[in-house]
Amino acid sequence: MKIRRCAVLYIESREQLSIDWRAVLAGASGLAADSHWVALAPHLDQELTITATELAALGAISQTVWRERAHCEQDHGEACVARLLELGLLIGDTPQYAAARERDETLRATHWRPLSALAHTFGRWREVTSENGMEAPSFEALLAQFGEPPPPTLDLAAHGALKLPAAPSGLLDEPLLHRYTGRNFDLQASVPLAVAARLLQRTFGAQEVRTVGPHSSVLKKTSPSGGGLHPVEAFVLVQRVEGIAPGLYHYHPIAHELRPLRTFDAAHAAALAKQVLADQHWLADAPLQVLMVGRMERSFWKYRNHQKAYRALALDAGHLSQTFYLLAAEAGMPAFVTAAINDVDIERMLDLDHLRHAVVAVCGCGPAAAGPRTMVELRYGETDAI
C-alpha cells in the first residue's frame, strides 16, 4: 500500500486558557494556557486536533510523491500513520481509503489556490439562526456596543484640491438614486411575471453567445466577469411570482428558462427562505430570491491555482447584484444582497459540492410594504434612516 499527504493542509496552534486557583491563592499568576495543534483540510470540511508526533509526520510526508506505507511506519510509527489515514489527512491508494482519496483528488482537479480553498471551506455557515448568531441590523445597538465608527470618508490634505463641476444628469440617474436595500417587504404582494423575466434575463441571462473554439463558447452579459467566464449560476427561490409555483429553480441563461428542481407550498417556501438567509426575516419576506453559486471549475479552468481567482469570483457576484438592484429599482421595487447565508444548507438543498461550487451570496426583491417601517432602510432623499 502507498500513501501521501492530502493536497491542502494548514496547521493552526490554539490554546485553551484556564485559571489555576492554587497558584492564585499562593500569590502567583493563575492564568494557564494549554496549547494544541489543529489541522484544517478543505477536502474534509472539518477541524481535527492532532498531536505533535502526528504534526511531524505530516510535515515529513510528501503531498505529491506516493511512498510505501511500511516505510512511513518505520519513520513515524504504525499507530501514528494509521490514525492519520483514519482521519483522512494521509491518503491511501487502497479501497479502504477511497472516500478520502476521492475528496482529495476532487480538490486537486479543481485547481484551487490553497489559501482560497481554506478561506472558502471554513468561512461557510451552517444552521445559523437568530438564536445562535444572527441579529437584526441596528445602528443604535452598534453605536452602544462599539462607540463611534471611523469617519465615512478618507480626508487627505485639501491643499491644491481640484473642485469638479457638478455631475450632469443622465438616463441612469433614476434607478441609481432610487435603488436601496429593502427590509420591509409586502407579504401579500407578488412580483409580476414580466418583471421577474426582465430581472433574470437582464441580470443573469446571455445577451449574446460567442463561439471561441470548436466546442467552446463564452457568454456576453450585462455585468463584467473575470476572464469573461461568467461562472456564477442563478438558482431562484420563488415565493410569490405571478404564474410560477413556489419552489427552487435553476435559471438557464441561454434558454431563458426556469428549470424546476423542487416545488412546494407557500409555507414551505417561506421556511426555506428563512433557512437560506440565516433567519433574516426582514430579507426572507422578499417574494423573489436568487442564490448565486460560483462554478469553481469554470473559473479555475483559466485561473489555475491563482492568487486572485477566488476574489474575482466574489467580485462577479457583486457586479451581478448591483445590476439586479438597478433593474429592481427600475421596476419600482427595493432589493437586497447578503453574504450572511447558510452556505452548507444551500449546498445540501441544491446537491452541490463545496469543492466545485461556491455559494457566494443571495439577492432578492419585491414590492415594499405600505405604512410604517419596522426595519432600517436608507432611502434616497430621506432625512431619517427609517
Side-chain angles (χ1 to χ4, degrees):
M1 173 184 174
K2 294 183 178 181
I3 63 175
R4 67 182 179 186
R5 200 186 72 224
C6 61
V8 179
L9 175 65
Y10 285 85
I11 307 297
E12 183 178 326
S13 174
R14 294 189 187 170
E15 61 181 25
Q16 186 172 354
L17 300 178
S18 61
I19 297 177
D20 184 345
W21 291 106
R22 183 174 298 179
V24 172
L25 294 173
S29 172
L31 193 61
D34 177 26
S35 298
H36 61 280
W37 298 106
V38 174
L40 303 169
H43 75 291
L44 298 176
D45 195 15
Q46 60 177 314
E47 301 178 354
L48 299 167
T49 300
I50 60 172
T51 67
T53 301
E54 292 162 350
L55 172 62
L58 290 168
I61 297 173
S62 171
Q63 70 179 43
T64 306
V65 180
W66 292 94
R67 288 188 62 196
E68 292 293 338
R69 176 174 180 172
H71 294 163
C72 294
E73 289 176 341
Q74 290 175 3
D75 294 338
H76 307 290
E78 292 183 13
C80 176
V81 171
R83 182 167 188 271
L84 291 175
L85 279 167
E86 180 184 350
L87 292 175
L89 297 173
L90 289 182
I91 306 300
D93 67 351
T94 61
Q96 180 181 356
Y97 304 107
R101 181 176 181 179
E102 187 275 332
R103 298 302 293 149
D104 182 64
E105 290 183 347
T106 295
L107 179 60
R108 293 172 187 263
T110 312
H111 307 293
W112 278 93
R113 184 75 174 179
L115 274 174
S116 298
L118 184 79
H120 166 64
T121 299
F122 295 99
R124 288 146 59 241
W125 281 4
R126 66 193 82 201
E127 300 176 358
V128 173
T129 68
S130 57
E131 296 179 353
N132 62 16
M134 236 12 251
E135 297 179 0
S138 167
F139 288 121
E140 292 79 5
L142 291 172
L143 290 170
Q145 184 177 2
F146 301 127
E148 293 294 326
T153 62
L154 180 64
D155 282 319
L156 303 181
H159 179 70
L162 174 64
K163 189 68 175 178
L164 297 173
S169 59
L171 296 176
L172 279 177
D173 280 1
E174 184 69 19
L176 278 172
L177 295 177
H178 289 90
R179 63 154 295 285
Y180 71 93
T181 296
R183 297 187 179 93
N184 299 274
F185 292 100
D186 187 341
L187 290 171
Q188 307 305 316
S190 299
V191 174
L193 181 59
V195 171
R198 177 169 170 79
L199 277 165
L200 294 172
Q201 207 285 327
R202 291 295 191 265
T203 304
F204 303 101
Q207 309 307 309
E208 293 180 5
V209 181
R210 298 185 181 178
T211 302
V212 294
H215 305 287
S216 303
S217 59
V218 294
L219 307 182
K220 174 66 177 175
K221 296 189 179 183
T222 58
S223 298
S225 175
L229 296 171
H230 293 288
V232 175
E233 297 285 335
F235 291 87
V236 183
L237 174 54
V238 171
Q239 291 196 73
R240 300 180 304 281
V241 176
E242 293 176 1
I244 303 178
L248 272 169
Y249 300 82
H250 174 246
Y251 175 71
H252 195 285
I254 299 175
H256 186 45
E257 295 173 344
L258 282 179
R259 298 182 174 177
L261 303 176
R262 290 196 302 279
T263 57
F264 23 69
D265 60 30
H268 190 166
L272 199 63
K274 285 190 68 177
Q275 182 183 0
V276 162
L277 292 162
D279 257 10
Q280 297 178 86
H281 62 83
W282 53 95
L283 303 180
D285 292 339
L288 173 67
Q289 295 163 33
V290 182
L291 289 54
M292 291 186 283
V293 176
R295 292 169 55 215
M296 317 313 294
E297 49 200 353
R298 172 76 176 174
S299 181
F300 295 173
W301 166 80
K302 177 178 181 180
Y303 299 114
R304 301 184 177 211
N305 194 26
H306 197 289
Q307 298 96 324
K308 301 292 186 179
Y310 191 70
R311 183 182 297 183
L313 190 80
L315 286 172
D316 274 21
H319 300 320
L320 291 165
S321 68
Q322 173 69 340
T323 302
F324 186 90
Y325 260 99
L326 293 176
L327 287 161
E330 175 193 65
M333 298 185 301
F336 75 84
V337 64
T338 180
I341 54 179
N342 279 318
D343 321 54
V344 177
D345 297 349
I346 295 171
E347 291 163 4
R348 291 170 180 163
M349 291 173 196
L350 301 176
D351 193 24
L352 302 176
D353 180 350
H354 86 275
L355 297 181
R356 297 180 182 275
H357 306 95
V359 182
V360 187
V362 174
C363 59
C365 67
R373 282 170 267 160
T374 59
M375 302 297 295
V376 172
E377 290 179 346
L378 300 177
R379 299 189 185 186
Y380 175 71
E382 290 188 347
T383 58
D384 196 330
I386 59 172

